[in-house]
Structures are given as structure tokens and as C-alpha cells.
Amino acid sequence: NAGVTQTPKFQVLKTGQSMTLQCAQDMNHNSMYWYRQDPGMGLRLIYYSASEGTTDKGEVPNGYNVSRLNKREFSLRLESAAPSQTSVYFCASRDGGSMNTQYFGPGTRLTVL
Amino acid sequence: AQKVTQAQTEISVVEKEDVTLDCVYETRDTTYYLFWYKQPPSGELVFLIRRNSFDEQNEISGRYSWNFQKSTSSFNFTITASQVVDSAVYFCALSGKMGGTSYGKLTFGQGTILTVHP
């Protein structure tokens, strides 16, 4: 099992450009999450999908949109990138049973110039 | 609102020393989960340990142990006989209820940078 995979690993954008970060999991988890990590601030939740067909905002959703394409895939879109969105983005999926643990992808390092 | 505080920004130890990472949390949920994650220099986030709020039994797993005290809202993590490979950023995280489903959203502390010197 690959676990949680993310593409791309690195990306540089110019202000105003758009892009989509892709995430897929092969653990048959219902819930998926997008976080951003900024220096000194830990990880903050952007959006989440509790189950296929549902999405909801997290702590810092402004400037982002998401799509839960199917049970495996959850994408994050930046419609008009801004320098404040320079960050490392992590996707996670959750074992919703007794383990209730989130497992993370390797991250995408995004720079917006 | 939930909050996780890791007061130690950076810790530096010499190999084979024991090191304890502190974590204090705030939540109004009566049922919740606490986690420790490790982020090595390569950048990935690795799940280490989990404890639920209705089980205060402390455990040891290899060189890792944790001390969960509900009375003081603390969930401290100890590495015994530290090794250079333990050098990483360690995050404490809290998961409570989210929306109409139980559990889910993780609230992270700011992280503690641990450096183990040979």
C-alpha cells in the first residue's frame, strides 16, 4: 500500500496563477483533510471531507477550493495564488474506526512569487 | 475552541540522554484523542502515539513513553536513551468532535525542535 500520495512535490507559481494539488489514499478511509504548515505555526486545517460527497471549511479556507472526486481522491485548488499561500501543504486521511488516526502524505512545497 | 501548547520551542540533548517533550491542551469536548507526530528533516509527518481521553493508563512502547494527566490537561512524551535519528520536530495534536461526525479535525501545537547531538 502506498498510503497517502500527493502531487506535485514542489511547485513555484507567480501571483495570480492557478493550480490544483492532488491527493490520493489507498487505505479505504472515509475522511480526508488538507492542512498547511507555516514556520512556527504548526499545521492548520484548510478543508476537510468527512465522507465521499461532502466537504467543509476548516480554520483557514480563504483562497482555496476543494473537490472530493471519489473515495480515494481529494484535491485542493488555488484559483488565484498569492504570496501568502507560500507554504507546505499536507493531505491526510483518517481511520475512522477505533484507531481514529490521521495519516499524512509527503507534502507539497509551494512557493508563490 | 481547542488549543494545544508546546512551550518548548527547541531542545538540545546529547545522545543517550532521556528527553521529555511537554504538551498542554484545552478542549470542551468530554471525549477526545491526543497524538504525537514526528517530522524528521525529510519533511514527512509520522504518526507515533495516540491516547484517548477515557484511558489515562500510561504506556511504554520501546524507547517511547507518554504521560497523560487529565487533571492537568497534559500529554507529555518521553524518549529514553535518545539517538541522533530522533532529531526532528515533534508535534502534539488534539482531535475532538467535528461537525456531525465524531472526531476528525486535528489541532496541532507549534512543534518542538529536538536536536540530539552525538
Side-chain angles (χ1 to χ4, degrees):
Chain A
N1 286 351
V4 181
T5 57
Q6 292 182 235
T7 55
K9 284 188 168 52
F10 301 93
Q11 184 70 48
V12 178
L13 294 177
K14 294 181 180 177
T15 296
Q17 288 185 318
S18 62
M19 80 161 295
T20 299
L21 281 64
Q22 306 286 353
C23 174
Q25 53 93 8
D26 62 2
M27 296 178 282
N28 201 35
H29 290 167
N30 285 321
S31 301
M32 297 184 73
Y33 307 81
W34 276 105
Y35 294 87
R36 61 178 286 172
Q37 182 180 21
D38 301 299
M41 299 190 73
L43 279 81
R44 293 180 293 168
L45 182 66
I46 305 172
Y47 269 93
Y48 66 95
S49 172
S51 61
E52 186 178 355
T54 69
T55 62
D56 211 338
K57 296 178 180 178
E59 183 184 353
V60 288
N62 291 345
Y64 305 96
N65 284 302
V66 291
S67 295
R68 184 73 183 268
L69 304 170
N70 47 56
K71 190 170 185 178
R72 289 187 63 248
E73 298 173 287
F74 187 38
S75 63
L76 178 72
R77 182 160 177 83
L78 287 72
E79 291 290 352
S80 178
S84 60
Q85 294 178 304
T86 294
S87 189
V88 181
Y89 292 85
F90 287 96
C91 177
S93 68
R94 181 172 69 97
D95 173 353
S98 59
M99 306 298 277
N100 189 40
T101 299
Q102 288 190 28
Y103 297 92
F104 287 80
T108 295
R109 186 174 295 274
L110 175 67
T111 301
V112 183
L113 302 175
Chain B
Q2 297 182 133
K3 186 177 180 181
V4 176
T5 302
Q6 295 178 249
Q8 303 152 309
T9 305
E10 292 191 51
I11 300 176
S12 181
V13 299
V14 177
E15 208 168 20
K16 297 185 183 177
E17 284 185 28
D18 298 347
V19 56
T20 295
L21 309 180
D22 297 333
C23 174
V24 176
Y25 63 92
E26 297 174 27
T27 180
R28 293 183 180 178
D29 291 333
T30 54
T31 303
Y32 49 89
Y33 282 80
L34 293 160
F35 303 84
W36 278 97
Y37 285 86
K38 174 183 179 180
Q39 188 174 43
S42 53
E44 73 272 24
L45 278 159
V46 179
F47 163 70
L48 293 177
I49 57 175
R50 171 193 59 252
R51 173 58 62 196
N52 59 50
S53 58
F54 41 89
D55 183 0
E56 289 192 68
Q57 181 179 353
N58 295 310
E59 292 186 23
I60 297 173
S61 176
R63 294 188 299 111
Y64 298 157
S65 62
W66 50 99
N67 185 345
F68 173 40
Q69 293 194 345
K70 221 169 175 178
S71 59
T72 56
S73 297
S74 65
F75 184 51
N76 298 336
F77 174 58
T78 297
I79 303 174
T80 302
S82 61
Q83 301 174 1
V84 173
V85 293
D86 295 327
S87 296
V89 182
Y90 289 82
F91 290 97
C92 180
L94 167 68
S95 173
K97 289 185 182 293
M98 180 170 68
T101 61
S102 297
Y103 316 118
K105 174 187 171 184
L106 279 176
T107 299
F108 282 84
Q110 293 179 316
T112 297
I113 302 171
L114 173 65
T115 303
V116 181
H117 299 281

